[in-house]
Amino acid sequence: NHQLIRAQVSDQIVNDDGFVLEDVPHLTNFLPDLPSYPNPLQKSQAYAIVKKTFVSSEDSVAQNIVVQKDTPRGVHFRRAGPREKVYFKSDEVRACIVTCGGLCPGINTVIREIVCGLNYMYGVDNILGIEGGYKGFYSRNTTTLTPKVVNDIHKRGGTFLCTSRGGHDTNKIVDNIQDRGINQVYIIGGDGTQRGAALIYKEVEKRGLPIAVAGIPKTIDNDIAVIDKSFGFDTAVEEAQRAINAAHVEAESVENGVGIVKLMGRYSGFIAMFATLASRDVDCCLIPESPFYLEGRGGLFDFIEQRLKENGHMVIVVAEGAGQEYVAQNMPGVDEKDASGNRLLLDIGLWLTQKIKDHFSKVRKMTINMKYIDPTYMIRAIPSNASDNIYCTLLAQSAVHGAMAGYTGFTVGPVNSRHAYIPIARVTEATNTVKLTDRMWARLLASTNQPSFLNSSDVLQNDITGAINSMNSNSI
Ligand code: ATP
Ligand code: MG
């Protein structure tokens, strides 16, 4: 019963008790004469049940599940799900799907479920696969996607549609969408891809085209803001444990064995943190958010020596983005970029392995056995596990319901375990990182008993930022 008041900010509805709805654009916002039809799901034999699954346009999902006394109710998003009225007639829909950026377990499941969702729920049978990422819009042929074609693809890793980096040309892409008569665009990809999707949506809006643009965020690192978790993350953590286990077996079987496992995580250490917490074989976890040092009291070398004395072996997990400033100091002038303009990271795993080896042989006169494992491509290439498969299905179905209902310029994802439609800009403007003052990192430190590598002034600074962050995040 909250009276909604339109605020100054476009697409934001605010009321007086601090309730904010960050709305996603709707085709009727810029195409007021767009028709609306009854949802074809109403024709289902189980209509009595289906009717109950319809989501009212009033339903919203709260970003902050814990609301402290006297604090505003905070940001909400539109709840995802089927609507009673849809804005496209089934036989008028011409949808396309494109996948861009790096691989991640579950992409094929998302593709499959968009195709099946459109076909089974909405009777759409005109679905195109754009091959090879954004470039595929203008440089390649398309494939026709039917439930039969995609039937088994979720059992394979990679992307059925192939992917690429670079080559995003908004105008050419929208020209192509227009030429092909496409009116629903599903874009699966990471932060770069979603930025590209936002530009496509803006151009479509500028041209006044009745085209829904839906993004499905993909990042194995789990670094997407707002949403609870990104697809493929669970699978990645599970697979990472195999590598950790191998490193542990290797380290344990020799004298003074040190196993190092490099895991994905360019800017955030979620995979490293969760794999460490899950495995219990890890003695030390290094992530980009937590600076560490090697020499001196409380440094990594001291800790390694201590663990080797206690246990005879140890395992270190290092996220790829950790300690980049160290490696950069040792390789000045190396600054390579990929086709999309992302800075290529220097290999912290190799660097760390060499540093430890040198230090122990030269300074501490100790022979140690280093075993370095980089399972990155093995992890990225596997099919998604059971929980990710279910999750990918939900993402795909939410995207289909949203586009059919006429929403556009949105991404989908769970916010406090309820699926929501989130404005694309919301997920591209910030990244999700491990907060050192969050409870999960504290649990990790307690579990490994590793040094925190923080001095008291760092802790103080972190407490302050942490306190601010914890007001915005829902730490479990
Ligand atoms: P990941 O980082 O998880 O591999 P990503 O989507 O970030 O995925 P990128 O290679 O950065 O991967 O980008 C994928 C596609 O998006 C590329 O085709 C690239 O041209 C395009 N893209 C990246 N950044 C932008 C941007 N700022 N504006 C428009 N397009 C972009
Ligand atoms: Mg990226």
Side-chain angles (χ1 to χ4, degrees):
N1 293 333
H2 295 282
Q3 236 225 313
L4 301 179
I5 305 156
R6 274 242 166 234
Q8 293 291 328
V9 192
S10 68
D11 295 329
Q12 238 194 31
I13 294 166
V14 184
N15 75 0
D16 49 14
D17 67 350
F19 170 100
V20 177
L21 178 67
E22 287 210 1
D23 207 358
V24 288
H26 196 273
L27 287 171
T28 48
N29 295 357
F30 58 97
L31 293 164
D33 56 347
L34 213 66
S36 81
Y37 305 102
N39 192 320
L41 283 166
Q42 294 185 7
K43 284 185 236 141
S44 152
Q45 285 175 334
Y47 180 52
I49 301 168
V50 168
K51 204 165 78 173
K52 291 206 165 31
T53 68
F54 286 145
V55 172
S56 145
S57 59
E58 303 290 302
D59 292 0
S60 63
V61 175
Q63 185 174 17
N64 289 345
I65 202 87
V66 182
V67 179
Q68 281 145 349
K69 196 170 170 280
D70 300 329
T71 55
R73 293 173 62 214
V75 171
H76 290 61
F77 301 100
R78 233 174 239 291
R79 187 172 185 189
R83 304 304 204 249
E84 204 166 351
K85 292 260 192 268
V86 295
Y87 280 82
F88 293 97
K89 236 185 185 161
S90 303
D91 55 5
E92 284 170 1
V93 173
R94 191 164 162 79
C96 77
I97 308 174
V98 63
T99 59
C100 315
L103 295 183
C104 170
I107 300 179
N108 279 338
T109 313
V110 177
I111 298 172
R112 184 190 190 280
E113 296 308 317
I114 292 174
V115 175
C116 293
L118 276 168
N119 189 270
Y120 298 159
M121 295 190 291
Y122 291 98
V124 172
D125 48 20
N126 204 340
I127 310 164
L128 293 177
I130 307 294
E131 290 185 340
Y134 280 133
K135 281 185 250 184
F137 273 105
Y138 34 82
S139 65
R140 295 220 205 171
N141 291 329
T142 53
T143 10
T144 304
L145 299 175
T146 61
K148 200 169 166 206
V149 169
V150 297
N151 189 47
D152 278 335
I153 64 171
H154 62 296
K155 294 176 187 165
R156 278 180 256 157
T159 157
F160 178 69
L161 296 174
C162 296
T163 181
S164 67
R165 295 194 192 277
H168 177 103
D169 182 330
T170 312
N171 273 315
K172 268 165 88 176
I173 292 169
V174 178
D175 287 349
N176 197 279
I177 290 171
Q178 223 176 334
D179 291 347
R180 290 180 198 271
I182 292 166
N183 51 19
Q184 288 186 9
V185 185
Y186 295 91
I187 302 173
I188 307 166
D191 54 335
T193 308
Q194 299 307 325
R195 274 184 211 110
L199 293 174
I200 294 173
Y201 154 67
K202 280 278 166 218
E203 183 59 28
V204 164
E205 186 193 21
K206 202 173 108 194
R207 297 188 193 184
L209 303 171
I211 299 170
V213 179
I216 295 99
K218 167 216 70 91
T219 139
I220 202 163
D221 295 350
N222 196 33
D223 56 359
I224 297 181
V226 187
I227 67 170
D228 296 346
K229 187 169 75 170
S230 52
F231 76 80
F233 176 71
D234 251 16
T235 310
V237 169
E238 208 168 284
E239 191 65 12
Q241 280 186 89
R242 291 182 210 273
I244 294 172
N245 187 48
H248 185 235
V249 169
E250 287 285 344
E252 206 181 26
S253 310
V254 290
E255 200 184 339
N256 287 336
V258 178
I260 296 193
V261 181
K262 185 178 82 170
L263 294 176
M264 291 89 82
R266 288 187 201 173
Y267 306 105
S268 55
F270 286 104
I271 294 181
M273 176 168 82
F274 275 75
T276 297
L277 273 164
S279 127
R280 311 284 150 156
D281 282 337
V282 181
D283 293 272
C284 186
C285 173
L286 304 170
I287 58 169
E289 296 88 335
S290 175
F292 63 93
Y293 51 96
L294 302 174
E295 324 233 357
R297 268 191 67 206
L300 185 64
F301 292 148
D302 267 4
F303 181 62
I304 294 173
E305 187 172 348
Q306 178 202 327
R307 278 290 153 103
L308 289 178
K309 279 192 180 137
E310 284 165 10
N311 301 333
H313 68 274
M314 79 173 299
V315 175
I316 300 171
V317 158
V318 57
E320 62 184 321
Q324 281 297 305
E325 64 288 353
Y326 270 136
V327 200
Q329 276 166 20
N330 285 264
M331 294 186 210
V334 181
D335 189 15
E336 283 184 77
K337 297 210 166 110
D338 70 14
S340 296
N342 302 307
R343 193 168 55 84
L344 289 180
L345 298 182
L346 305 161
D347 194 327
I348 180 71
L350 279 176
W351 179 85
L352 193 61
T353 308
Q354 196 57 46
K355 275 277 168 195
I356 296 171
K357 218 188 255 176
D358 289 351
H359 178 83
F360 278 87
S361 70
K362 287 178 196 149
V363 182
R364 306 205 181 198
K365 309 284 180 220
M366 254 174 93
T367 310
I368 53 165
N369 268 302
M370 301 293 302
K371 308 281 177 182
Y372 174 48
I373 299 180
D374 178 355
T376 305
Y377 292 118
M378 297 199 61
I379 294 176
R380 285 172 24 146
I382 57 170
S384 45
N385 67 8
S387 84
D388 271 325
N389 263 333
I390 296 169
Y391 178 30
C392 290
T393 306
L394 264 60
L395 286 173
Q397 290 193 358
S398 295
V400 166
H401 290 312
M404 285 302 299
Y407 290 109
T408 183
F410 70 89
T411 50
V412 286
V415 179
N416 292 316
S417 80
R418 291 288 184 278
H419 280 248
Y421 297 134
I422 305 157
I424 294 187
R426 215 29 167 80
V427 298
T428 55
E429 72 201 4
T431 49
N432 190 18
T433 54
V434 175
K435 306 289 175 301
L436 300 185
T437 46
D438 255 13
R439 293 169 150 206
M440 239 358 155
W441 187 246
R443 288 173 185 130
L444 178 135
L445 295 179
S447 158
T448 58
N449 204 17
Q450 70 187 61
S452 72
F453 302 108
L454 293 172
N455 57 42
S456 51
S457 66
D458 290 337
V459 175
L460 196 66
Q461 186 54 45
N462 259 298
D463 273 346
I464 297 162
T465 17
I468 295 163
N469 286 327
S470 70
M471 281 167 25
N472 303 323
S473 78
N474 286 303
S475 171
I476 315 165

